[in-house]
């Protein structure tokens, strides 16, 4: 919650010098409260007032970045507790833990690099590798950090509570800006020194929520990720929920940082379920051990569902898409540009093995029936578009297949475009049998 104009006014010099571009401090305070001015426009704000104003206008959860190049991971900076209140902005980073003394370290990192899943036109990959100092040796940890950095450009988390080991590994890969995990009550002074030296964010691990809050207040470093220390799934969820509530609703600053959670289940199916729970409530980073596409696919989908803007349908670029080695005789299908609809239809069209064109008609990302009800997928819109579309130059026939659910628009399309309309199945899963019957 931002400050009111009056509350801001109390912190301003009240000299009405006008250098900020408005005649009075009160007018400037009102402009600041409305987000129409920035504090830097007033050269006379005291340091004390600036700190108070900065902290009052800071987001409830700090944005933290780590990683390098085009693999910089941004976490935190969420504004709400429930996705339906607004949206979640920074998807949970999904990491795989590897041990620094694992004889198959290089192969495991290759495996992590190789995970790639495509779903409704989006490509999903793992966000990074968490290297654990299982050996307890600074040399082994440093060598493993270097080996991982050499094998992947993904973000890296270094896991060790030994400051000497952390310094060795973090200094060796400082250019990759790893996340350092973790500062505890026993080591935080030295861990903060290492984090400052390599300019990397630092995870702070408590033993419970109150010790975490105390520790965050003590570390005096602002690039933080927090962990209550809980590992039992119910306790992790309870702690994460309290952290999110305290930061968003009460602006409790010690909890105003992104969070990290670790899975503990050894069975991959259970581990993925555990990770799903952590993504839902409200981990900014989740660290797992399983590297198998069949398990991770559901996790990627789960995360994508949570982090899509509920007020903004996911749309594909409107246009004409070829599937297979199309030619002038290829059938032409039309559907809306709502991603889920489009890619479901595209999969079925491709499955007919008949090279075909599929038109993604611009409905602002609405599904077929919603777009039809909203007047965006109707004969009056499709007919004139079809008449002028470049699909006329791609095929030597004028037959178009429309979804069965909107059979009623057939007449209008034919009247306004001069094309013949074939009414396809209501459900796209029947496109295969429709094509066999009508197009073979
Ligand atoms: Fe007031 Fe600062 Fe604006 Fe001068 S520059 S009028 S002191 S807010």
């Amino acid at each position: 919650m931002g400050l009111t104009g009056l509350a801001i006014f109390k912190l301003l010099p009240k000299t009405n010098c006008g250098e900020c571009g408005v005649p009075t401090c009160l007018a400037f305070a009102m402009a600041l409260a409305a987000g129409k001015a920035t504090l830097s426009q007033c050269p006379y704000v005291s340091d004390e007032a600036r700190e108070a104003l900065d902290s009052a206008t800071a987001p409830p959860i700090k944005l933290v970045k780590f990683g390098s190049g085009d693999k910089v991971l941004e976490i935190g900076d969420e504004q709400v507790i429930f996705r339906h209140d607004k949206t979640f902005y920074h998807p949970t980073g999904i990491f795989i833990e590897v041990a620094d003394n694992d004889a198959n370290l290089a192969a495991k990192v290759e495996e992590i690099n190789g995970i790639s899943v495509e779903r409704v036109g989006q490509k999903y990959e793992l966000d990074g590798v968490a290297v654990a100092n299982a050996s307890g040796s600074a040399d082994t940890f440093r060598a493993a950090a270097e080996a991982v950095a050499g094998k992947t450009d993904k973000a890296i988390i270094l896991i060790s509570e030994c400051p000497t080991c952390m310094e060795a590994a973090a200094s060796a890969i400082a250019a990759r800006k790893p996340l350092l995990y973790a500062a505890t009550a026993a080591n935080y002074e030295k861990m903060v020194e290492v984090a400052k030296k390599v300019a990397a964010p630092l995870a702070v691990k408590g033993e419970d929520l109150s010790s975490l809050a105390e520790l965050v207040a003590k570390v005096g470093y602002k690039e933080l990720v927090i962990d209550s220390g809980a590992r039992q799934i119910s306790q992790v969820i309870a702690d994460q929920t309290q952290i999110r509530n305290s930061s968003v609703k009460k602006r409790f600053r010690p909890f105003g940082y992104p969070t990290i959670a670790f899975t503990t289940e050894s069975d991959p199916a259970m581990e993925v379920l555990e990770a799903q729970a952590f993504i839902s409530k409200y981990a900014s980073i989740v660290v797992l051990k399983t590297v198998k596409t069949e398990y991770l696919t559901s996790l990627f989908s789960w995360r994508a569902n949570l982090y899509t803007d509920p007020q903004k349908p996911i749309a594909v670029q409107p246009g004409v898409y070829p599937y297979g080695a199309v030619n002038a005789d290829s059938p032409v299908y039309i559907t809306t540009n709502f991603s889920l609809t489009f890619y479901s239809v595209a999969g079925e069209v491709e499955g007919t093995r008949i090279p075909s064109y599929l038109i993604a008609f611009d409905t602002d990302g609405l599904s077929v029936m919603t777009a039809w009800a909203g007047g965006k997928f109707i004969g009056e819109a499709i007919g004139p578009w079809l008449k002028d579309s470049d699909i006329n130059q791609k095929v030597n026939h004028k037959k178009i297949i429309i979804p069965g659910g909107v059979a009623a628009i057939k007449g209008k399309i034919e009247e306004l475009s001069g094309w013949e309309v074939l009414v396809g199945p209501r459900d796209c899963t029947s496109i295969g049998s429709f094509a066999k019957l009508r197009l073979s």
Side-chain angles (χ1 to χ4, degrees), residues 16 35-36 52 67 74 78 94 104 130 138 203 206 215 217 276 296 299 316 331 334 340 347 374 376 385 389 423 433:
N16 301 330
K36 290 179 183 157
E74 298 192 347
E78 303 298 349
I94 302 177
N104 299 317
L215 194 52
Q276 282 184 359
L296 292 168
L299 203 55
V316 297
I334 188 166
L340 204 55
K376 290 177 190 287
W385 178 87
S389 161
V423 177
S433 46

Short mmCIF file of all heavy atoms in Angstrom, two decimals, residues 16 35-36 52 67 74 78 94 104 130 138 203 206 215 217 276 296 299 316 331 334 340 347 374 376 385 389 423 433:
data_model
loop_
_atom_site.label_atom_id
_atom_site.label_comp_id
_atom_site.label_asym_id
_atom_site.label_seq_id
_atom_site.Cartn_x
_atom_site.Cartn_y
_atom_site.Cartn_z
N ASN A 16 8.02 25.14 -0.54
CA ASN A 16 7.31 25.56 -1.75
C ASN A 16 8.22 26.31 -2.74
O ASN A 16 7.84 27.31 -3.32
CB ASN A 16 6.11 26.46 -1.39
CG ASN A 16 5.14 25.72 -0.47
OD1 ASN A 16 5.03 24.49 -0.54
ND2 ASN A 16 4.46 26.45 0.38
N GLY A 35 1.55 8.59 -8.42
CA GLY A 35 2.52 7.93 -9.30
C GLY A 35 2.87 8.79 -10.51
O GLY A 35 3.40 8.29 -11.49
N LYS A 36 2.58 10.11 -10.42
CA LYS A 36 2.85 10.98 -11.58
C LYS A 36 4.15 11.77 -11.43
O LYS A 36 4.44 12.65 -12.23
CB LYS A 36 1.68 11.96 -11.76
CG LYS A 36 0.42 11.24 -12.24
CD LYS A 36 -0.74 12.21 -12.41
CE LYS A 36 -1.98 11.44 -12.82
NZ LYS A 36 -3.21 12.15 -12.49
N ALA A 52 12.34 6.63 4.29
CA ALA A 52 10.95 6.31 4.67
C ALA A 52 10.07 6.19 3.44
O ALA A 52 9.25 5.27 3.32
CB ALA A 52 10.41 7.38 5.61
N GLY A 67 22.04 -15.46 -11.92
CA GLY A 67 22.31 -16.04 -13.24
C GLY A 67 22.90 -14.97 -14.14
O GLY A 67 23.04 -13.82 -13.74
N GLU A 74 14.65 -14.05 -12.68
CA GLU A 74 14.06 -13.01 -11.82
C GLU A 74 13.01 -13.67 -10.95
O GLU A 74 12.11 -14.32 -11.44
CB GLU A 74 13.40 -11.93 -12.68
CG GLU A 74 14.39 -11.21 -13.57
CD GLU A 74 13.80 -9.96 -14.20
OE1 GLU A 74 12.57 -9.79 -14.14
OE2 GLU A 74 14.58 -9.17 -14.73
N GLU A 78 6.17 -10.16 -6.26
CA GLU A 78 4.75 -10.49 -6.40
C GLU A 78 3.94 -9.51 -5.55
O GLU A 78 4.40 -9.02 -4.53
CB GLU A 78 4.48 -11.94 -5.94
CG GLU A 78 5.29 -12.99 -6.69
CD GLU A 78 5.00 -13.04 -8.18
OE1 GLU A 78 4.02 -12.42 -8.63
OE2 GLU A 78 5.77 -13.69 -8.91
N ILE A 94 12.69 -23.64 -11.34
CA ILE A 94 12.77 -25.08 -11.03
C ILE A 94 14.22 -25.54 -11.23
O ILE A 94 14.77 -25.42 -12.33
CB ILE A 94 11.81 -25.90 -11.91
CG1 ILE A 94 10.37 -25.39 -11.71
CG2 ILE A 94 11.91 -27.39 -11.59
CD1 ILE A 94 9.33 -26.08 -12.57
N ASN A 104 29.15 -38.84 -11.73
CA ASN A 104 28.45 -38.61 -13.01
C ASN A 104 27.97 -37.17 -13.16
O ASN A 104 26.97 -36.90 -13.84
CB ASN A 104 27.25 -39.55 -13.14
CG ASN A 104 27.67 -40.99 -13.12
OD1 ASN A 104 28.66 -41.35 -13.78
ND2 ASN A 104 26.98 -41.80 -12.35
N ALA A 130 21.47 -26.78 -8.90
CA ALA A 130 21.87 -26.46 -7.53
C ALA A 130 23.00 -27.42 -7.15
O ALA A 130 22.78 -28.64 -7.10
CB ALA A 130 20.69 -26.61 -6.59
N ALA A 138 36.34 -27.79 0.18
CA ALA A 138 36.30 -26.54 -0.59
C ALA A 138 36.79 -26.78 -2.02
O ALA A 138 36.22 -26.26 -2.99
CB ALA A 138 37.14 -25.47 0.09
N ALA A 203 20.92 -16.67 0.22
CA ALA A 203 19.74 -17.25 0.87
C ALA A 203 19.99 -17.28 2.37
O ALA A 203 21.11 -17.55 2.82
CB ALA A 203 19.50 -18.65 0.35
N GLY A 206 16.45 -19.99 8.34
CA GLY A 206 16.17 -19.97 9.77
C GLY A 206 15.91 -21.37 10.27
O GLY A 206 16.00 -22.35 9.52
N LEU A 215 17.07 -13.36 11.93
CA LEU A 215 18.31 -13.47 11.14
C LEU A 215 18.32 -12.47 9.98
O LEU A 215 19.34 -11.82 9.71
CB LEU A 215 18.42 -14.92 10.61
CG LEU A 215 19.75 -15.37 10.06
CD1 LEU A 215 20.89 -15.09 11.04
CD2 LEU A 215 19.71 -16.86 9.73
N ALA A 217 16.89 -9.64 9.87
CA ALA A 217 17.14 -8.30 10.43
C ALA A 217 18.63 -8.11 10.74
O ALA A 217 19.18 -7.03 10.60
CB ALA A 217 16.30 -8.11 11.69
N GLN A 276 4.81 -29.44 -6.74
CA GLN A 276 3.61 -28.72 -7.18
C GLN A 276 3.00 -27.94 -6.01
O GLN A 276 2.56 -26.81 -6.17
CB GLN A 276 2.57 -29.71 -7.71
CG GLN A 276 2.88 -30.18 -9.11
CD GLN A 276 1.78 -31.08 -9.66
OE1 GLN A 276 0.81 -31.37 -9.01
NE2 GLN A 276 1.96 -31.53 -10.88
N LEU A 296 8.59 -34.15 -14.97
CA LEU A 296 8.73 -32.69 -14.97
C LEU A 296 7.66 -32.01 -15.83
O LEU A 296 7.29 -30.87 -15.58
CB LEU A 296 10.14 -32.29 -15.42
CG LEU A 296 11.22 -32.69 -14.42
CD1 LEU A 296 12.60 -32.54 -15.05
CD2 LEU A 296 11.13 -31.85 -13.15
N LEU A 299 4.89 -30.74 -13.93
CA LEU A 299 5.31 -29.60 -13.09
C LEU A 299 5.36 -28.31 -13.91
O LEU A 299 4.92 -27.25 -13.46
CB LEU A 299 6.70 -29.91 -12.51
CG LEU A 299 7.10 -29.19 -11.25
CD1 LEU A 299 6.09 -29.39 -10.15
CD2 LEU A 299 8.47 -29.63 -10.79
N VAL A 316 -2.24 -17.12 -29.98
CA VAL A 316 -1.19 -17.28 -30.98
C VAL A 316 -1.36 -16.17 -32.01
O VAL A 316 -2.44 -15.56 -32.11
CB VAL A 316 -1.24 -18.66 -31.69
CG1 VAL A 316 -1.00 -19.79 -30.72
CG2 VAL A 316 -2.54 -18.87 -32.42
N PRO A 331 -6.56 -29.18 -47.82
CA PRO A 331 -7.75 -28.68 -47.12
C PRO A 331 -7.41 -27.46 -46.26
O PRO A 331 -6.25 -27.29 -45.84
CB PRO A 331 -8.16 -29.85 -46.23
CG PRO A 331 -7.28 -30.99 -46.55
CD PRO A 331 -6.15 -30.51 -47.39
N ILE A 334 -10.36 -23.67 -40.21
CA ILE A 334 -10.27 -22.40 -39.48
C ILE A 334 -10.68 -22.62 -38.03
O ILE A 334 -11.60 -23.40 -37.74
CB ILE A 334 -11.14 -21.30 -40.14
CG1 ILE A 334 -10.88 -19.93 -39.47
CG2 ILE A 334 -12.64 -21.63 -40.09
CD1 ILE A 334 -11.44 -18.75 -40.26
N LEU A 340 -4.90 -22.62 -26.53
CA LEU A 340 -5.29 -23.99 -26.18
C LEU A 340 -6.14 -24.61 -27.29
O LEU A 340 -5.94 -25.75 -27.68
CB LEU A 340 -6.06 -23.97 -24.86
CG LEU A 340 -6.05 -25.26 -24.06
CD1 LEU A 340 -4.64 -25.73 -23.79
CD2 LEU A 340 -6.79 -25.06 -22.74
N GLY A 347 -2.89 -30.14 -33.48
CA GLY A 347 -2.42 -31.51 -33.23
C GLY A 347 -3.28 -32.53 -33.97
O GLY A 347 -2.76 -33.49 -34.55
N GLY A 374 -19.40 -13.61 -28.47
CA GLY A 374 -18.97 -12.22 -28.38
C GLY A 374 -18.90 -11.52 -29.74
O GLY A 374 -18.39 -10.39 -29.83
N LYS A 376 -17.05 -12.26 -32.32
CA LYS A 376 -15.71 -12.17 -32.94
C LYS A 376 -15.43 -13.35 -33.87
O LYS A 376 -14.45 -13.34 -34.60
CB LYS A 376 -14.64 -12.15 -31.84
CG LYS A 376 -14.61 -10.87 -31.03
CD LYS A 376 -13.57 -10.98 -29.92
CE LYS A 376 -13.66 -9.84 -28.94
NZ LYS A 376 -13.18 -8.57 -29.45
N TRP A 385 -12.97 -11.24 -44.24
CA TRP A 385 -11.54 -11.52 -44.06
C TRP A 385 -11.10 -12.62 -45.05
O TRP A 385 -10.07 -12.49 -45.72
CB TRP A 385 -11.29 -11.99 -42.61
CG TRP A 385 -9.85 -12.35 -42.36
CD1 TRP A 385 -8.85 -11.53 -41.99
CD2 TRP A 385 -9.25 -13.66 -42.55
NE1 TRP A 385 -7.67 -12.21 -41.91
CE2 TRP A 385 -7.89 -13.52 -42.25
CE3 TRP A 385 -9.75 -14.89 -42.93
CZ2 TRP A 385 -7.00 -14.59 -42.32
CZ3 TRP A 385 -8.86 -15.97 -43.01
CH2 TRP A 385 -7.50 -15.81 -42.71
N SER A 389 -8.17 -12.74 -47.87
CA SER A 389 -6.99 -13.38 -47.27
C SER A 389 -6.07 -13.98 -48.33
O SER A 389 -6.49 -14.38 -49.41
CB SER A 389 -7.47 -14.50 -46.33
OG SER A 389 -6.44 -15.40 -46.08
N VAL A 423 -18.94 -28.10 -42.60
CA VAL A 423 -19.03 -28.05 -41.14
C VAL A 423 -18.27 -29.24 -40.56
O VAL A 423 -18.62 -30.40 -40.82
CB VAL A 423 -20.50 -28.04 -40.67
CG1 VAL A 423 -20.57 -28.06 -39.14
CG2 VAL A 423 -21.22 -26.80 -41.21
N SER A 433 -11.39 -38.70 -37.88
CA SER A 433 -12.43 -39.48 -38.56
C SER A 433 -13.16 -38.62 -39.58
O SER A 433 -13.54 -39.09 -40.65
CB SER A 433 -13.41 -40.09 -37.53
OG SER A 433 -13.77 -39.13 -36.60
#
